[in-house]
Amino acid sequence: MKTSVLRPKKWQFAAYLLPGILWYAFIVFVPVIGAAYYSAFDWMGGPKKTFIGLQNYVTLLKDTQFWQSFRNNIYLCIVCLIGQIGIAFFLALMLNSRIVRFKKFHRIVTYFPVTLSAVVIGFIWNMIYDYNYGLLNTFLEAIGLGNLQQAWLSNRALAMFLVCVPLIWQNIGYYLVIILAGFSSIDTSVLEMAEIDGATGFQRARYITIPLIKNTLIVCMTLCISGNMKAFDHIYVMTGGGPGTTTNVMSLYAYQNSFLRYKMGYGSAISIGILILSIGITAICRRLAEGRKGGKEDA
Amino acid sequence: MRNKKITSIALAALMAATMVPANVSAEEGVTLSVMHVYTKEEADQGDNTNKIPRDIILGYDEAHDDVTLEISEIQHDDYETKLQALAAADDLPDVFMMKGSWVGNFYKSGLLADITEFVDACEWKDEYRDGLFNGVNIDGTIVGAPTQYSTTTIAFYNTELWEQAGLELPTTWDDVFAAAPKFQEMGITPIAFGNSDKWQYNSSWVSAIAPRITGEDWVNNIIAKDGSASFTDDCFVKFLDFTKTLGTSGYLNPDYATIGHQDASSQFLQGNAAMFIDGYWNVEYIEGNADDEMKEKIALAPLPGFEDGAGDQTSITGGSGWYFAVNSKLEGEELKAAADLILYASGPVMSQEMVNVGLISTCESVAEDTSSFGTVREKFLDLVNAGYPNVEIWDARMDASVIDVMNGQFVEVLAGAVEPADAAAVIQAEYEHVCAQ
């Protein structure tokens, strides 16, 4: 009886939530709607705008540079899904095992890069890849592989992978924490039982841990894909999309169009394109991941 | 209830009354918002290219009781981003600085005030160096005032290395390419180059090298957008062929695409490269960073030419890369004060102070005392005053979107990833798009 007196009425709930919702709507939906509106104009910035309907989107569909950037985003997603979540999962398993000592220390060290600014990380890795004084070239020299030394980020075949490495390195800790939280929900007796039954570490991971934290992994995957579809800062600092357009990604391309070429209207159309593609790909991946789970349950 | 109404009316009246004097005082004087790139931090470090214009603007504020300036100083790179955002939002300050390549765009968007009558009436308009208003003169309408005289194409040579190789300093690219293998044998990079931001090749190389192949008329026709020149013309493709030869020759430092011009300059200053191409800003960089022994070894010259070239083979670029401008929303007294301010800040008073410390500026001022100038600065003054013909700085005169597309294509051609003819077609497509606007 007491609780129902203290419990706020429904409209009170709504009233308390309203400021937050309004604020969120203002900073998230208004810019998106604004971008959608501007994308219908040939607009160079400033007061003069010419309405051109869907012309910007027609251009976008035929823009090979945009689709190259899109392919780079997809590449980034795949490499980071394997790198970030894969390594994070592996580390989480290690941290959960009994042989590893100083678990807290490892967790802090792994999480530390997450707290750094992307710009700082970009600069650090630029120094690592530097041709004359870089850590990587110095290391190769030291171990007698001096013939492998090169201007790393100028290598068109490798550049895209090389800019993925810092992204992976930075975000492992983030997914590690989420996966560890997922692990804590698994009843330890299940794992102990499997161990007594003679299951190897790999078998335990494959048949017990992964199925039980599947939802956590799907959350990680969603975050990873949506994060990498809007990747900008690392690449902006490290290569600016170069050499040429080798490491250009969609958001960088939108920025270049809006602020270097003054095509605000077209830049807005690209942003809307990014939004649609990101939602689409995230939805497809979730459908695939959840679909597989559903199929298994049937079997 | 009635009392309350009376009170509120009285309060409203009081409020209105107190607002009036504020308006009156504003009418007595003019308040202008000003945004520029001359920051206190950089001025305090002794950088004269920031300190002098900054002091000139502050001095103007102090000397004019009827004008109040609200100044925002923003560091160069941030300034570009911020001003672009303000321009897009149609929220520009009253007086601001703009890059040459923004002018056409800003003008078409109706952001710039016409200051032609003020320039015509300006008492020192004849003291400006030739052509400094070209970039802000749109069919006879002047929309800005120059802030600088910049020379973006200078070849710096390490004379000691050329002597060691037993070679004369080159005058043609054939000379350079013939000398390069010798330097490589010596373990020296023939040409130091840093193009990570992509504008470097355009500003410091193309603006001078392209007209040596295409001729100056072709470049001027492109700038005039009169339809008589096209980027797919054979002469420009020939220039792109040169670009490809240069980029794939192996004579540039292998990391040129990922390092900046200052990194390349420091390679040159450490004696690791025989030559380096950059703009006037590198003169200040060398004065600040090289030791005296190195400064003695450096020779400055126009870029090498071609024996069978079309235009003048010794030209250097000259012009203003940045301009002061006035917001088109200003009218009457405010517009007059703003125009007065920008002409003062670009004029002979500023120029004289610049020249006195060994810098080249907007007017043909003569230094009072040259004894304190550094070695390289003196060599630079000699170069500028040697009477080499001037050519246009491309990224100060052509549209920003064409320049951006061009810079991207140059990178591809240098890397040998795109054929010259294909790159020319891409640039031409963007150029036609801009011409059609």
Side-chain angles (χ1 to χ4, degrees):
Chain A
M1 202 60 208
K2 220 178 182 182
T3 52
S4 74
V5 172
L6 284 176
R7 192 185 162 82
K9 293 189 181 71
K10 266 186 183 164
W11 68 266
Q12 280 171 323
F13 267 123
Y16 285 130
L17 286 174
L18 196 63
I21 289 172
L22 281 179
W23 187 238
Y24 179 78
F26 180 73
I27 56 172
V28 173
F29 291 116
V30 171
V32 172
I33 293 165
Y37 169 73
Y38 291 131
S39 71
F41 290 90
D42 185 7
W43 180 39
M44 300 188 292
K48 282 189 188 168
K49 292 201 257 311
T50 321
F51 182 77
I52 52 165
L54 293 175
Q55 190 54 47
N56 278 332
Y57 292 97
V58 176
T59 317
L60 186 65
L61 286 176
K62 289 188 260 176
D63 188 341
T64 50
Q65 268 208 51
F66 174 75
W67 293 108
Q68 188 205 348
S69 309
F70 174 66
R71 278 198 299 277
N72 282 343
N73 273 108
I74 297 291
Y75 177 84
L76 196 65
C77 282
I78 294 171
V79 171
C80 287
L81 273 176
I82 299 168
Q84 291 172 348
I85 301 181
I87 296 175
F89 182 73
F90 182 71
L91 286 179
L93 283 178
M94 303 262 289
L95 284 180
N96 242 21
S97 79
R98 263 168 284 142
I99 27 169
V100 176
R101 296 290 171 91
F102 309 117
K103 285 181 185 171
K104 259 192 182 163
F105 173 76
H106 288 299
R107 215 159 53 205
I108 290 169
V109 169
T110 320
Y111 191 76
F112 183 65
V114 180
T115 61
L116 291 177
S117 139
V119 177
V120 173
I121 290 187
F123 275 118
I124 293 175
W125 282 81
N126 260 4
M127 287 184 219
I128 292 176
Y129 292 141
D130 187 274
Y131 176 62
N132 290 305
Y133 312 107
L135 209 59
L136 186 55
N137 276 349
T138 316
F139 173 71
L140 286 174
E141 178 89 69
I143 60 168
L145 289 172
N147 58 331
L148 289 179
Q149 285 185 339
Q150 55 176 301
W152 291 100
L153 289 172
S154 301
N155 184 330
R156 285 169 177 252
L158 280 178
M160 196 61 215
F161 177 73
L162 293 174
V163 296
C164 291
V165 173
L167 268 165
I168 294 173
W169 174 75
Q170 179 176 17
N171 286 320
I172 288 173
Y174 180 66
Y175 296 107
L176 177 76
V177 168
I178 299 178
I179 293 172
L180 278 177
F183 279 179
S184 65
S185 67
I186 302 175
D187 193 343
T188 43
S189 59
V190 180
L191 288 168
E192 276 161 18
M193 224 135 75
E195 208 175 340
I196 293 165
D197 287 348
T200 62
F202 175 78
Q203 283 170 327
R204 265 176 287 148
R206 172 73 185 81
Y207 295 106
I208 298 172
T209 317
I210 292 183
L212 284 176
I213 63 157
K214 185 133 203 168
N215 283 328
T216 311
L217 288 179
I218 290 175
V219 169
C220 285
M221 187 192 73
T222 313
L223 287 173
C224 185
I225 292 173
S226 60
N228 285 311
M229 291 303 275
K230 62 180 172 58
F232 178 87
D233 29 21
H234 291 81
I235 299 179
Y236 178 74
V237 172
M238 292 186 70
T239 63
T245 51
T246 326
T247 57
N248 227 7
V249 286
M250 290 189 292
S251 51
L252 206 53
Y253 189 58
Y255 166 81
Q256 287 157 353
N257 269 289
S258 303
F259 293 109
L260 297 178
R261 301 182 190 169
Y262 295 100
K263 295 178 178 172
M264 296 286 175
Y266 189 50
S268 303
I270 297 173
S271 309
I272 297 294
I274 298 172
L275 182 75
I276 294 168
L277 288 170
S278 305
I279 292 176
I281 287 178
T282 315
I284 291 171
C285 288
R286 283 195 73 120
R287 174 56 70 79
L288 285 176
E290 281 166 0
R292 244 187 75 204
K293 183 177 120 195
K296 251 189 177 173
E297 274 170 3
D298 290 343
Chain B
M1 196 62 199
R2 202 184 152 75
N3 270 350
K4 244 186 192 168
K5 222 178 209 169
I6 290 169
T7 323
S8 58
I9 289 170
L11 279 174
L14 188 71
M15 207 168 88
T18 51
M19 277 163 72
V20 174
N23 280 338
V24 169
S25 71
E27 270 166 28
E28 279 169 8
V30 174
T31 303
L32 296 173
S33 55
V34 179
M35 212 166 108
H36 64 62
V37 297
Y38 311 119
T39 61
K40 185 171 188 305
E41 290 74 22
E42 283 162 299
D44 286 348
Q45 282 170 14
D47 181 342
N48 285 319
T49 54
N50 281 292
K51 186 177 184 305
I52 292 170
R54 180 173 184 272
D55 290 347
I56 291 280
I57 292 170
L58 289 175
Y60 183 92
D61 193 12
E62 265 175 39
H64 293 74
D65 292 337
D66 53 341
V67 179
T68 312
L69 302 183
E70 287 168 357
I71 303 172
S72 324
E73 301 168 355
I74 299 163
Q75 193 272 332
H76 213 288
D77 291 353
D78 296 336
Y79 180 89
E80 288 197 23
T81 316
K82 176 153 187 185
L83 198 87
Q84 284 153 358
L86 289 174
D90 192 17
D91 195 19
L92 286 169
D94 297 335
V95 172
F96 54 92
M97 293 176 73
M98 64 179 165
K99 222 178 181 171
S101 60
W102 302 348
V103 177
N105 196 344
F106 279 19
Y107 178 73
K108 270 184 263 172
S109 303
L111 298 171
L112 304 177
D114 176 0
I115 59 161
T116 318
E117 53 170 318
F118 303 102
V119 176
D120 286 342
C122 176
E123 31 186 294
W124 55 77
K125 72 168 176 190
D126 295 328
E127 291 180 42
Y128 286 103
R129 283 174 180 272
D130 280 345
L132 278 189
F133 280 92
N134 287 354
V136 277
N137 187 334
I138 300 168
D139 303 328
T141 305
I142 298 175
V143 292
T147 65
Q148 56 180 198
Y149 174 84
S150 75
T151 302
T152 62
T153 55
I154 308 170
F156 299 82
Y157 297 102
N158 183 329
T159 51
E160 191 183 57
L161 290 176
W162 287 82
E163 273 165 33
Q164 278 174 12
L167 295 163
E168 298 267 308
L169 291 187
T171 55
T172 66
W173 283 101
D174 287 341
D175 295 345
V176 176
F177 290 151
K182 228 170 199 175
F183 287 119
Q184 285 183 320
E185 275 170 34
M186 291 159 64
I188 299 289
T189 305
I191 311 168
F193 183 34
N195 196 37
S196 64
D197 305 309
K198 299 179 192 173
W199 60 260
Q200 289 98 342
Y201 185 65
N202 198 328
S203 265
S204 299
W205 296 62
V206 180
S207 298
I209 298 176
R212 284 165 168 55
I213 296 177
T214 64
E216 290 90 8
D217 288 344
W218 182 87
V219 178
N220 292 332
N221 290 338
I222 284 282
I223 292 172
K225 295 185 195 164
D226 59 7
S228 63
S230 143
F231 283 100
T232 46
D233 289 345
D234 286 343
C235 58
F236 185 71
V237 176
K238 213 173 135 195
F239 163 72
L240 289 177
D241 285 334
F242 165 79
T243 302
K244 189 182 171 186
T245 312
L246 173 79
T248 52
S249 63
Y251 299 151
L252 304 168
N253 41 311
D255 57 347
Y256 75 86
T258 42
I259 65 169
H261 58 114
Q262 287 195 341
D263 297 322
S265 183
S266 85
Q267 287 297 316
F268 173 75
L269 293 179
Q270 286 168 32
N272 297 333
M275 74 182 279
F276 176 55
I277 289 174
D278 208 356
Y280 76 103
W281 49 84
N282 191 46
V283 173
E284 290 294 297
Y285 182 78
I286 294 177
E287 282 296 348
N289 291 284
D291 53 36
D292 289 341
E293 202 186 332
M294 191 58 184
K295 286 180 195 169
E296 287 295 332
K297 287 182 210 162
I298 296 174
L300 277 66
L303 266 51
F306 302 91
E307 257 157 36
D308 54 347
D312 188 277
Q313 301 300 310
T314 59
S315 55
I316 55 177
T317 57
S320 183
W322 283 82
Y323 298 90
F324 288 119
V326 178
N327 191 327
S328 60
K329 285 175 189 154
L330 297 197
E331 284 174 351
E333 282 302 307
E334 285 184 330
L335 174 60
K336 190 165 173 288
D340 191 49
L341 166 67
I342 68 172
L343 286 168
Y344 176 77
S346 78
V349 181
M350 187 272 298
S351 180
Q352 184 66 54
E353 287 199 33
M354 288 285 217
V355 171
N356 285 347
V357 294
L359 292 159
I360 300 281
S361 193
T362 51
C363 300
E364 300 198 358
S365 324
V366 179
E368 287 152 5
D369 172 22
T370 59
S371 59
S372 63
F373 296 177
T375 331
V376 179
R377 230 177 251 149
E378 265 181 53
K379 291 176 187 172
F380 171 60
L381 291 179
D382 290 344
L383 176 78
V384 174
N385 294 325
Y388 293 113
N390 269 359
V391 287
E392 300 289 355
I393 305 168
W394 285 28
D395 49 358
R397 297 303 312 278
M398 293 181 197
D399 193 275
S401 71
V402 177
I403 290 293
D404 191 54
V405 169
M406 202 188 291
N407 289 353
Q409 292 303 312
F410 287 152
V411 172
E412 300 292 335
V413 175
L414 280 167
V418 169
E419 283 308 310
D422 299 336
V426 174
I427 300 168
Q428 177 62 17
E430 185 64 28
Y431 179 65
E432 279 169 16
H433 179 73
V434 168
C435 288
Q437 272 174 348

